[in-house]
Amino acid sequence: ELCKAILDEQPITRPAYEAFAEAANRLDRCLETLVKELWDLLRYTDPLTGIATRYAMLPRLREEHQRVGRTGLTSSICMADLDRFKSINDGWGHHAGDVVLEAVSAYFVRNLRRYDQVCRYGGEEFVLMLPNTTPEQAVPIVDRLRRGLAALEIPVGDKALQVTASFGIAPLTADQPIAVSIERADRAMYRAKRAGRNRVEAWPADQDEEESAEAAPETPP
């Protein structure tokens, strides 16, 4: 109506102007919301694999940590790191590495329980959150994932690649900060690397103090 009045060189009425101003304000608010949602999507969704980033996982871990504190239950965190991933990038190219990361991410999503969570923590490293699951209960669950991943054939061009991962499990308990649980899962994962890779290791509760004093030694990826 406002545009028509301008084209017809007619005077603009106050109601028409106010309706236009309100529509412009609504459009501005919608654009602002859209930009925020896009930034959140870029921050919380890994653009390569489509799964959550570490920034998206941390709030979920905090929620689970609080729930563990309320209920007294134990959940588990699992750190997974692809074995010898650098050799894939070096030998097959970075495109092949990207294809592998996409395939591994999709594999985790398909094969985790519906209430579990997975994120790409960084590079070729993933974090799994396993609610209501002690480390002892998590071991066979994660080992099933490990065996299935090792058998997975990932098409790259006219060939197929196979990849393995090393897994480390630690409890998420109310009496320890989340960062401690992540660090322990990471150290258990490094222990799996040192033991030969393509393994699952759990943080030993009876060695918490001894292990927490040690730094994880350098281990080839």
Side-chain angles (χ1 to χ4, degrees):
E1 183 179 343
L2 188 66
C3 292
K4 185 176 184 302
I6 294 173
L7 290 173
D8 293 342
E9 298 183 350
Q10 297 295 319
I12 298 171
T13 65
R14 184 178 186 85
Y17 175 79
E18 290 177 347
F20 170 78
E22 176 58 29
N25 287 334
R26 285 200 305 270
L27 177 62
D28 186 61
R29 291 193 297 270
C30 287
L31 290 174
E32 185 178 341
T33 300
L34 179 61
V35 168
K36 181 180 183 302
E37 289 176 352
L38 287 172
W39 276 113
D40 286 345
L41 182 64
L42 290 172
R43 182 179 183 188
Y44 294 119
T45 303
D46 181 57
L48 174 63
T49 64
I51 64 173
T53 64
R54 64 191 297 176
Y55 300 105
M57 179 64 92
L58 289 174
R60 300 173 189 176
L61 285 171
R62 284 194 288 269
E63 290 176 5
E64 182 64 13
H65 189 253
Q66 292 169 0
R67 193 186 68 82
V68 164
R70 292 194 306 270
T71 63
L73 297 172
T74 299
S75 293
S76 292
I77 293 177
C78 176
M79 186 76 71
D81 188 85
L82 301 186
D83 297 324
R84 297 187 173 94
F85 184 74
K86 185 176 184 298
S87 66
I88 295 176
N89 283 331
D90 292 345
W92 292 76
H94 286 275
H95 171 70
D98 289 347
V99 171
V100 167
L101 289 171
E102 289 179 275
V104 170
S105 300
Y107 169 81
F108 283 145
V109 170
R110 287 195 310 270
N111 290 278
L112 283 169
R113 301 170 299 178
R114 60 180 178 80
Y115 44 83
D116 296 333
Q117 303 278 341
V118 59
C119 81
R120 185 181 177 197
Y121 199 66
E124 65 274 19
E125 203 166 40
F126 299 84
V127 167
L128 315 178
M129 185 178 74
L130 309 172
N132 298 337
T133 308
T134 66
E136 293 78 14
Q137 294 168 332
V139 168
I141 296 170
V142 174
D143 195 59
R144 173 180 58 81
L145 289 174
R146 178 195 64 79
R147 287 183 279 109
L149 179 62
L152 184 67
E153 294 190 349
I154 303 171
V156 178
D158 58 351
K159 298 185 182 297
L161 291 180
Q162 289 182 283
V163 67
T164 63
S166 299
F167 297 82
I169 300 169
L172 181 66
T173 56
D175 61 343
Q176 294 288 351
I178 296 170
V180 171
S181 295
I182 292 176
E183 179 186 4
R184 289 175 174 176
D186 193 53
R187 291 188 179 182
M189 181 271 293
Y190 271 99
R191 191 159 59 243
K193 294 275 191 188
R194 293 194 302 269
R197 301 180 178 85
N198 190 23
R199 294 172 58 91
V200 177
E201 293 284 344
W203 178 269
D206 59 346
Q207 297 181 30
D208 280 357
E209 292 186 6
E210 176 184 342
E211 291 279 343
S212 63
E214 299 178 1
E218 291 294 326
T219 305

